[in-house]
Amino acid sequence: MPLRQHLVTLLHYRHALLLMLRRDIQQRVIGSAFGLLWLIIQPLFLLVVYSVVFGFLLKVRFGAEEDTLAFSLYLMAGLLPFIAFQESLQRAGTTLADNHGLIDRSNFPPLLLPIMAVLTSITAELLGLIILIFAVWIIRGTLSPWLLLLPLLIGVRLLLSFALASFISVLTPFLRDLNQVIAMLLTLLFFATPIIYPSSLIPADWQWVAMLNPFYYLVESYRNVIIIGKPPLPGFYLLAAGSLLVSLVGLWFFNKAITRAKAFL
Amino acid sequence: MSTLITENLGKGYRIYRKPSDSLKELLLRRTYHRTFWALQGVTFRCEQGESIGIIGANGAGKSTLLKLLAGTMQPSEGVLTIEGRVSAILELGTGFHPEFSGLDNIRMGCAMLGLNAAETRDRIPEIIAFSELEAFIEQPVKSYSSGMYVRLAFAIVTCIEPELLVVDEALSVGDQHFQKKSINRMNHFRQLGKSLIFCSHNLYHVKELCSRALWLHQGKVAASGEVGEVVDAYQDFVRQKDRLTIATAPPTTTGKDQESDLTTLPQLLNVTLDRPGELPLYRSGDPFCVSVSAHRGTITMEDIHVGIVITRNDGVQCYGVSTAVDKISLTAGTDGCFSVRYQIDALPLLSGEYFLEVWYIDATSVHIYDSRNPCCPFKVRQKSVEVGMVWLPHRWEQD
């Protein structure tokens, strides 16, 4: 199927997509005791733990700033996109199996499932970012105009997530242990990316590893526009282009393999 | 105008040793599968306003065919052309989202069938009313019973007035009231010039709803045509298969050597129907006659009786009687031979395949001299649409 037709399909099903998205948020918010707070309880919990261990005890510092509170801001700017990314991929891994009744017995386009897996991750991220921006504004008293680029960053984060989610979702039915492998790779990525430490802590002869890590550009760019007040890294645009390219390949591969994958759900 | 045309439609499922083989095949472009053909060479068409019943045993390919028609699966070969909108209930439900409420699923279902928000809003009251789920519509669908589930599904797929409605075995889980309602709605549909493909194991429903039928057997079309004929043929086939107690062996005769034993042992000589052929056809109400000829051997005629049982091909005995029960005295000629006719003026049997058990017995009906079992298979076709095995004398009265 050519790309244009995919877009037409998506347009055709936008009501269904919006409905699912709204329902997903309602479901997570209404059923739980903490309501909206529950959406970001996990990032906040991690934020506190890492801030205490790395910021307060180990005295890890970003840039010239010398207090634990500043560490928490930097940490949160990296943690939020990462957790959203992680959630996207983990959901993508199970989404076909979870919804196989839907795609088996109706004309529901399977492609919507990885898209949903990625899109639903945006609610918690947005909520966290609003809190973060508010905190930066309170502490610094001012916000950078580069913040206007944040929607673009989130867009690229979604694109990067979809690029991988499209492959993961359609490969899982063939390779049952893929989910465990992904979980391990995500842990590795978390520690390989300067999220709980500044990139300056990476030894000079290991810097190339950071340069090869796509998430490095994303995290640093989030920090630049929200906290530091600088434009995104130049590598970020390369990442955007790369994510778009891989997404298109992923789209193609997903549609190529989905009929086969459905047989093993 | 034809709503649906299929030509030589086929679906092969690829069987792999393990899932990753399918992936390898995709990437390496080498073959790692063997193919199981669930459906092959299915050619039929469905005209506007026509309804076709799909019947067949489990695993005959019915669900595969319906999935192809509904578009949730692509055919491996052949051509499938459908004019207009299709909506389908496959197995249980149309593919609901279990966590969503009934109302959300209505919205989802309508959105997936291509309705926009306004069109959906207009139809929601009607859908809820038809499904009779007013009290539960805000509950998640996973808490529904299977009957509630199918009521909702049926209400959704029929509300958009598709050109072709595909219904797979959906009515069986609904209660009587809902079955009746759905049948009315499907009939109404046909009157509007829409087409219906209906699959059910309830052959009565198929006869009620459909004008034509397609009988699938092991992935191929075993018969297609007028619904009564196809359903009857299918039922004959099923009963034949179901037969448990009746021997499949060829007719048995106990006398070994006719010449030498003729004068001493009583034996049946011949049993014939009044119509020729391997499987003569009778219509319900036709005259029916069996001629039995036998030799009495050395037994006195007081102790010679003939019994005939009419048995359906699934082993159900329809009616059996003997000359002993009816207190008929038989007489033989001087050579010891005699013949007797069993006459039914108007055969009351309904459609089916039947055969005879002929017993040559003594006056106590305990000792069996000889038997032909089974013998004389014949087929009955009814003209009217009663159900069951036999026409019973009856009348209707009103105060």
Side-chain angles (χ1 to χ4, degrees):
Chain A
M1 239 191 329
L3 183 68
R4 210 175 63 87
Q5 207 161 344
H6 285 308
L7 296 179
V8 170
T9 310
L10 291 188
L11 213 61
H12 185 76
Y13 286 99
R14 65 191 184 281
H15 297 296
L17 199 63
L18 277 176
L19 195 74
M20 282 177 82
L21 206 57
R22 214 182 60 202
R23 192 68 187 87
D24 181 78
I25 297 167
Q26 280 176 358
Q27 216 178 339
R28 289 206 272 177
V29 172
I30 293 169
S32 69
F34 297 97
L36 264 181
L37 198 66
W38 189 251
L39 278 176
I40 52 161
I41 206 105
Q42 191 209 1
L44 288 182
F45 172 74
L46 286 177
L47 182 75
V48 171
V49 172
Y50 289 140
S51 293
V52 169
V53 176
F54 293 93
F56 180 68
L57 296 177
L58 292 175
K59 301 276 183 261
V60 177
R61 291 292 175 260
F62 284 87
E65 305 183 50
E66 281 307 321
D67 58 348
T68 308
L69 195 62
F71 171 83
S72 301
L73 296 183
Y74 278 87
L75 174 62
M76 197 166 174
L79 207 52
L80 289 172
F82 184 83
I83 289 176
F85 176 75
Q86 183 179 33
E87 198 192 301
S88 303
L89 299 199
Q90 274 167 353
R91 277 189 161 223
T94 56
T95 189
L96 288 188
D98 289 347
N99 296 291
H100 86 267
L102 202 58
I103 53 177
D104 232 30
R105 294 179 198 151
S106 73
N107 291 336
F108 188 85
L111 179 62
L112 290 192
L113 294 175
I115 291 180
M116 276 296 301
V118 171
L119 283 184
T120 47
S121 70
I122 203 176
T123 33
E125 186 186 17
L126 278 183
L127 209 59
L129 285 173
I130 289 169
I131 294 173
L132 173 64
I133 292 166
F134 193 68
V136 171
W137 184 60
I138 295 285
I139 294 165
R140 301 278 168 83
T142 173
L143 291 172
S144 151
W146 287 111
L147 194 58
L148 293 174
L149 277 186
L150 188 60
L152 177 69
L153 301 199
I154 296 173
V156 172
R157 205 277 298 161
L158 289 174
L159 208 56
L160 176 66
S161 307
F162 176 74
L164 299 178
S166 56
F167 283 102
I168 292 171
S169 58
V170 80
L171 283 176
T172 316
F174 300 109
L175 310 164
R176 282 294 151 86
D177 19 20
L178 189 64
N179 277 337
Q180 277 92 313
V181 177
I182 297 289
M184 282 194 283
L185 288 179
L186 281 169
T187 309
L188 187 66
L189 181 70
F190 179 74
F191 288 106
T193 309
I195 294 173
I196 43 174
Y197 56 87
S199 55
S200 57
L201 270 188
I202 306 171
D205 44 348
W206 285 95
Q207 285 285 341
W208 62 272
V209 176
M211 297 295 137
L212 282 179
N213 176 0
F215 229 79
Y216 163 79
Y217 301 97
L218 201 63
V219 167
E220 292 290 293
S221 299
Y222 265 74
R223 282 177 181 147
N224 277 0
V225 302
I226 299 172
I227 304 170
I228 305 170
K230 284 202 299 188
L233 298 188
F236 167 78
Y237 300 101
L238 204 64
L239 173 67
S243 302
L244 184 63
L245 192 70
V246 180
S247 290
L248 291 179
V249 178
L251 209 62
W252 170 82
F253 182 73
F254 185 91
N255 282 290
K256 195 103 183 129
I258 183 63
T259 336
R260 290 169 178 271
K262 269 164 84 173
F264 302 111
L265 287 175
Chain B
M1 199 186 76
S2 304
T3 307
L4 165 72
I5 302 174
T6 78
E7 261 169 69
N8 209 17
L9 201 63
K11 174 72 191 176
Y13 291 106
R14 294 171 169 188
I15 314 277
Y16 296 91
R17 273 194 310 115
K18 51 184 196 286
S20 56
D21 279 355
S22 174
L23 190 63
K24 263 201 271 179
E25 191 174 82
L26 178 68
L27 300 175
L28 305 179
R29 305 193 173 279
R30 240 186 292 154
T31 307
Y32 286 94
H33 68 265
R34 57 189 179 81
T35 306
F36 167 74
W37 285 95
L39 207 63
Q40 241 177 339
V42 175
T43 302
F44 72 102
R45 54 172 64 213
C46 180
E47 306 298 330
Q48 216 177 355
E50 194 175 30
S51 58
I52 298 185
I54 311 285
I55 56 176
N58 286 332
K62 299 188 301 293
S63 290
T64 300
L65 176 61
L66 295 200
K67 277 184 178 175
L68 295 180
L69 299 184
T72 61
M73 207 187 247
Q74 298 309 310
S76 313
E77 58 176 33
V79 188
L80 172 66
T81 325
I82 299 176
E83 293 284 337
R85 195 144 59 169
V86 187
S87 66
I89 309 185
L90 301 175
E91 296 152 67
L92 267 187
T94 46
F96 284 146
H97 209 297
E99 300 284 343
F100 284 19
S101 71
L103 196 58
D104 279 332
N105 269 300
I106 294 178
R107 293 206 185 98
M108 275 279 293
C110 287
M112 285 196 297
L113 292 167
L115 301 190
N116 64 31
E119 288 172 309
T120 303
R121 213 169 357 204
D122 291 345
R123 284 179 170 82
I124 283 177
E126 190 205 328
I127 296 175
I128 297 177
F130 188 84
S131 66
E132 297 176 20
L133 288 169
E134 289 87 352
F136 311 98
I137 207 70
E138 299 287 350
Q139 301 297 314
V141 161
K142 65 177 176 189
S143 67
Y144 285 17
S145 71
S146 54
M148 291 159 80
Y149 208 84
V150 78
R151 263 149 61 192
L152 187 63
F154 193 83
I156 294 175
V157 300
T158 55
C159 82
I160 65 151
E161 285 152 25
E163 255 47 64
L164 177 67
L165 177 65
V166 177
V167 179
D168 186 0
E169 204 43 81
L171 299 179
S172 50
V173 291
D175 57 20
Q176 294 283 322
H177 166 70
F178 184 72
Q179 284 189 3
K180 194 166 138 42
K181 248 173 90 169
S182 343
I183 287 178
N184 285 345
R185 185 168 262 215
M186 286 192 272
N187 272 327
H188 176 65
F189 240 65
R190 272 172 47 203
Q191 283 153 15
L192 292 176
K194 316 283 185 180
S195 309
L196 172 72
I197 301 287
F198 180 73
C199 170
S200 180
H201 288 289
N202 186 326
L203 298 172
Y204 179 73
H205 281 159
V206 173
K207 274 187 170 174
E208 268 296 272
L209 269 169
C210 304
S211 48
R212 288 202 299 137
L214 195 72
W215 166 18
L216 290 178
H217 181 59
Q218 292 175 354
K220 300 206 170 70
V221 178
S224 81
E226 196 274 317
V227 68
E229 284 171 25
V230 177
V231 169
D232 287 347
Y234 171 63
Q235 274 180 314
D236 289 343
F237 170 78
V238 173
R239 285 179 198 138
Q240 183 75 36
K241 240 176 66 179
D242 287 350
R243 216 171 69 177
L244 295 173
T245 47
I246 303 303
T248 44
T252 51
T253 49
T254 36
K256 271 174 245 151
D257 188 275
Q258 294 209 346
E259 286 303 311
S260 61
D261 291 342
L262 196 60
T263 49
T264 54
L265 288 174
Q267 61 180 217
L268 291 168
L269 298 176
N270 206 4
V271 180
T272 52
L273 292 174
D274 58 342
R275 294 189 185 184
E278 279 200 358
L279 189 69
L281 172 72
Y282 292 84
R283 295 273 165 196
S284 306
D286 282 358
F288 177 85
C289 180
V290 187
S291 303
V292 179
S293 58
H295 190 275
R296 69 175 174 90
T298 53
I299 309 290
T300 57
M301 281 311 280
E302 285 79 57
D303 221 14
I304 290 280
H305 285 285
V306 172
I308 292 180
V309 184
I310 299 179
T311 306
R312 199 165 65 179
N313 64 349
D314 56 352
V316 175
Q317 294 186 328
C318 307
Y319 184 67
V321 72
S322 69
T323 51
V325 172
D326 285 345
K327 300 194 169 53
I328 304 290
S329 312
L330 297 168
T331 48
T334 47
D335 56 351
C337 292
F338 70 92
S339 74
V340 61
R341 280 186 311 281
Y342 173 76
Q343 183 83 43
I344 298 174
D345 294 333
L347 189 67
L349 294 174
L350 300 184
S351 290
E353 276 182 28
Y354 302 84
F355 59 86
L356 299 180
E357 301 170 19
V358 178
W359 305 95
Y360 198 26
I361 46 183
D362 72 349
T364 63
S365 303
V366 173
H367 186 70
I368 299 164
Y369 305 122
D370 194 0
S371 71
R372 296 281 167 90
N373 179 20
C375 70
C376 302
F378 62 98
K379 188 154 104 171
V380 178
R381 285 294 176 258
Q382 70 200 65
K383 296 169 194 131
S384 43
V385 294
E386 302 106 308
V387 294
M389 183 163 69
V390 63
W391 183 87
L392 297 175
H394 62 275
R395 64 176 181 274
W396 303 91
E397 282 176 0
Q398 256 190 327
D399 294 327

